[in-house]
Amino acid sequence: MKRKDTGRLAALLNTVSLPVIATILGLLLGALIMFLSGHDPLKVYSVMFDKSFINVNYLNQTLTKATPVIMCGISGAVAWRAGHINLGIEGQMVCGGITAIIIGLYMPGPAFLVTLCACIGACAAGALYALIPTFLQDKSHVSLIMVTLMMNYIANYLSTYLVSFPLKDTSSVNANQTMFIDDSLKFTRLFSNGQLSTGFILSIMTVIAVYLVMNYTSFGYESKMSGFNPYFAKYGGVRERRVMYLTMALSGAVAGFAGFVEVFGTKYRYSSNMIASSGYAWTGLMASLVGQYNPFAILFYSIFFSGLTIGGQALQRDFGIPLQIADIITSSIMLFVSINIGIHLFKAGRKQRTEKKEETGNKTPAKEAA
Amino acid sequence: MPLVELKDITKVYGTLIANDKVSLELNKGEILAVVGENGAGKSTLMKIMYGLEQPTAGEIYVNGEKQKFHDPLDAIGKGIGMVQQHFMLIEQFTVAENIVYSKEPRKGMFFDRAAAIRITEELCEKYGLYIDPREKVKNCPVGLQQRIEILKVLYQEAEILIFDEPSAVLTPQETNQLLDTLRTLAGMGKSIILITHKLNEVFAVADRVVVMRHGQVVGNMPIKETNFDELSFLMVGRQLTSTVIPQVEKGEVCLEVNDLHVTGAGSKEAVDGLSMHVDRGEIVGIAGVSGNGQSELIRAITGLLPVESGNVRINGIEVTNRPPRDIRDSGLSCIPEDRYLWGCAREATLEETCIMYLHNKEPLSTGGWLHKNKIHSFVSDTLEHFDVRYTSVFQKMGELSGGNAQKVVLAREVMQHSPFLIAAEPTRGLDIGAIEYVHHALLEKKKSGDCVLLVSSELSEVMSLSDRIYVMYDGKIAGEFTRENAVEESLGLLMMGGKLNEA
Ligand SMILES: Nc1ncnc2c1ncn2[C@@H]1O[C@H](COP(=O)(O)OP(=O)(O)OP(=O)(O)O)[C@@H](O)[C@H]1O
Ligand SMILES: [Mg+2]
């Protein structure tokens, strides 16, 4: 019975091995489909990876696309880890984006001050928008999953209305979009060609910041324990409602921040449907699930999934292979991972259900603790 | 030829060898007791035999034939059944439905309820285990639920029955009934493996006993050729010392409960006008058959259950219906009776489990930031202090043996050095060495001027440690004794709802 601390490494290996296996299986399934549709998988994959991760120009595109995805993934992980399923990241991001564009267009003052206000405003908007369903769940036990999901539509339609009427750039006749923000507000581009901006660096900083909060603060600890076993947390003196509000606010704020970065760093204006149609939030949630709430794994998978899409677009141009192939690969990876996770959750759930009865006999304290 | 033979079974978890070339034989009609300290590898060995875990090396023979069990269904197919400590029953269903579940009698396409009831009645008759087939499981007390589990295993035609610490959740009466059942079953030719930490049970029913330590078998003998002292020595590797009760001056009142009313499950008055007090320098025991409001009382004191009326004061501070954290801040720590429900999270690491409540206090954190180094050394010290068997502080709680998980929860609460400690079933699932250690720790606490409220279904534990004893029956205090005037018979009588006639 030696007390070596190989434990952390072993635990890491455990979390890493499962998505890696799933990724390989996904790639194999993708290869099979390509093979069946008459393409040489090796050639297709080499082009696909070249035109997403290796070639500098494509890598630039990949990272640009990954920037909001990373933050959405982090936003999802913050909530999920604490046992709250936030499917409203998209709506929270929309709120952040709209707030950012309004401040960016209409607030007078020096550029840095406007940027700062837009940033804070976007985070606050995202957080508030996430707190509404949290409040409903807390007060009247409405399902958080359902409400967050539904509120995506509200945010998106509301933003469409705003950019179609009050905020519409009247000089563009066809498109419903706002004007561009001032040049002085736009984020610096990292390279002379390509859209990649300092926004990417901000997303990396978000990863690090959230990692620190989650692992090195007592709030992160309380949030994690509430996710593992709310009864344990409550018994140990965690104020579970306070932790729930804070967690959801943080999750929403990160999503709002993603909206701000998207507007100030990449698009410079808000056009109707721009966030919903990109699917950032859902790709981010995927990365979050596959990365099992580890911020660095989420960073990696966000870039990987974004690269697959960019590479997929290249395939379409070079081979005439439909874009859906890339989607199939991403989805197969997801499928394999979710099978694994599903089995895991099922087992854990079954265990917990039976063990809850242990020693308490048939008295379930669920009601009292709620 | 033995009925079951395990040959050189080895099970390795990462760097830890849970079973190290274990060989074991089970004969027909025999009751074999397996004993050993916490973490010795008993549960692991049984899980392998029942197909829940695959051995790293080694072979299993049933009736001389080599077997490979991929899952419990394979084991059940060979007549091996296990009565889970954590019952796997569906509470909304009736007894009969649960027993025939997964092998239901049918009439055409449909479930044949009448046949299920008949089958259950026949089983009850055959094995002398009586129970109403039509009763819903959720209305059955723990002892009866265990009986349903046994019947279920028998219905699956098990010839070999494995019991992993079956008496841990039972009252003394239920335990006696269980032991009778085991004798009956063995008499009918069934073979039984019984894991237990209670040596009196071993001597009451077993034919042979196997002692495990550090993953190996260190003793295997017929029960007639051994005795209590030899077994306990083999189990813990040292002589047990007798506990000395320190004499301590009583201090001021620490816990005061006045006319407390608490509603339990099913809107029935679980605690019904209860008043009590615990003074500094005292260990106060609560004796009672479980289910008489003890759990609700503890939960109400610790803030996990709302108080209807009455009040609770700790160290002079009014804590009635305060949030758990505030109550703890007033000087309380608590070892909960259900370690996996309240005491920890299976997915949490040992480190995370040990710092609960202390995580936002000096010296483990300042201004919301955790001090990882200090946490690390604090946790290692805590675990070392209570001799927890673990491989790394980053291990998950769910990977610890039952007894070791209990020790972690216990260590955390005792190491908080709060003036007032509630200890609910503190020694449940612990080996005799660890029990001695825990008793010692509780007495130390008393010596340092703190006080302890001890709730235990183990009457001997309550009687040997407590300075004062309350007997609880039906949500009320049925009687109060001091160490000097506590007599087992009177306690037992009050616990069953009887009255003492003052003569
Ligand atoms: N899934 C697992 N992963 C890692 N280690 C494990 C796992 N299951 C058990 N162990 C380790 O194997 C050892 C033996 O555990 P086991 O549960 O068999 O002990 P036990 O004899 O039943 O103890 P107790 O009397 O406390 O129930 C322990 O040190 C435990 O930590
Ligand atoms: Mg065990």
Side-chain angles (χ1 to χ4, degrees), chain B residues 39 42-44 85 164-165 195 197 401-403:
Chain B
K42 306 176 297 289
S43 296
T44 305
Q85 182 176 351
D164 193 351
E165 296 187 36
I195 298 181
H197 288 296
S401 80

Side-chain angles (χ1 to χ4, degrees), chain B residues 336-451:
Chain B
E337 62 178 327
D338 188 337
R339 58 185 172 246
Y340 289 116
L341 183 64
W342 301 103
C344 69
R346 280 166 195 278
E347 300 92 340
T349 64
L350 300 194
E351 193 169 284
E352 287 163 346
T353 310
C354 282
I355 63 170
M356 182 51 89
Y357 179 67
L358 296 176
H359 65 273
N360 51 15
K361 305 235 164 352
E362 296 273 4
L364 299 191
S365 78
T366 15
W369 285 92
L370 303 175
H371 299 306
K372 289 280 175 168
N373 286 334
K374 284 185 190 151
I375 288 179
H376 202 85
S377 54
F378 166 76
V379 170
S380 308
D381 284 354
T382 305
L383 297 177
E384 215 77 43
H385 208 76
F386 276 77
D387 191 28
V388 177
R389 305 294 162 83
Y390 67 104
T391 40
S392 145
V393 291
F394 300 114
Q395 243 184 320
K396 299 243 176 352
M397 279 302 280
E399 293 173 2
L400 288 189
S401 80
N404 279 303
Q406 172 76 358
K407 283 198 248 176
V408 174
V409 175
L410 209 131
R412 177 187 65 216
E413 299 299 323
V414 173
M415 291 299 270
Q416 286 172 7
H417 299 297
S418 61
F420 175 44
L421 173 73
I422 296 181
E425 308 291 350
T427 55
R428 180 176 280 176
L430 295 189
D431 67 46
I432 44 178
I435 289 177
E436 182 195 18
Y437 189 86
V438 170
H439 287 175
H440 186 74
L442 294 181
L443 292 170
E444 271 304 300
K445 199 153 174 61
K446 160 179 163 176
K447 220 156 119 189
S448 67
D450 298 338
C451 55

